[in-house]
Amino acid sequence: MNKFFLILAIVVVSLSSCYYDSEEDLYPSAGCSTENVSFANDVKPILLNSCLSCHNNVSLQGNITLESYDDVLSYVPNGLLLGSIKHDSGYKAMPQNATKLDDCRISKVEAWITAGALNN
Ligand code: HEC
């Protein structure tokens, strides 16, 4: 009987940990808000974190700076900003030699562009 409860306990524990552990993987967009995305609060911090080390006014890798809103805007209509972070074919995959941005960050940048890429 003791053995039975031990096995039951193991099953319950492993099932519940399984459920909690995998929720993020199963629903990566859960908890990712793409509403009212702003340049200052959402897009800029993402670029600061993953892009500006190479694309600033001094380093200018690939002859590109993403420091100001106007700088960033010049890579929106030509699709370079989104294409590079989504690793679409025909674009240089960014950030270079690093892991792709997570889905939430990419969705936020995409939502910002869809909403008109405002300086908000
Ligand atoms: C480690 C340095 C480094 C980081 C970090 C980096 N880039 Fe780049 N990026 C480069 C280099 C170098 C090039 C030029 C590549 C080439 O011409 O082959 C480039 C090119 C680009 C281009 C032009 C792409 C094209 O297809 O012509 C864009 C747009 C760009 N980067 C955006 C970004 C964005 C957005 C991020 C952050 C998510 C980022 N980069 C992070 C080094 C970097």
Side-chain angles (χ1 to χ4, degrees):
M1 204 53 175
N2 268 345
K3 219 176 198 170
F4 171 76
F5 281 113
L6 184 65
I7 290 167
L8 188 69
I10 291 170
V11 168
V12 167
V13 166
S14 56
L15 279 180
S16 59
S17 67
C18 209
Y19 173 76
Y20 290 115
D21 284 348
S22 59
E23 194 175 324
E24 277 260 292
D25 298 333
L26 287 171
Y27 311 105
S29 58
C32 178
S33 169
T34 53
E35 296 199 3
N36 303 319
V37 173
S38 97
F39 179 73
N41 297 329
D42 301 286
V43 175
K44 181 91 192 177
I46 293 171
L47 300 178
L48 203 59
N49 207 27
S50 308
C51 319
L52 280 177
S53 54
C54 298
H55 298 298
N56 59 65
N57 292 343
V58 177
S59 176
L60 280 169
Q61 293 208 24
N63 215 21
I64 288 173
T65 174
L66 297 171
E67 272 198 28
S68 73
Y69 167 77
D70 287 335
D71 295 331
V72 178
L73 196 64
S74 54
Y75 302 101
V76 172
N78 54 24
L80 282 175
L81 181 68
L82 199 58
S84 66
I85 62 170
K86 288 178 90 172
H87 294 188
D88 285 344
S89 71
Y91 298 94
K92 310 263 160 63
M94 292 291 138
Q96 201 186 47
N97 303 327
T99 326
K100 193 178 174 186
L101 298 181
D102 61 52
D103 288 348
C104 183
R105 290 188 170 91
I106 293 175
S107 321
K108 280 180 189 283
V109 174
E110 192 161 22
W112 173 72
I113 292 172
T114 307
L118 304 175
N119 190 2
N120 54 0

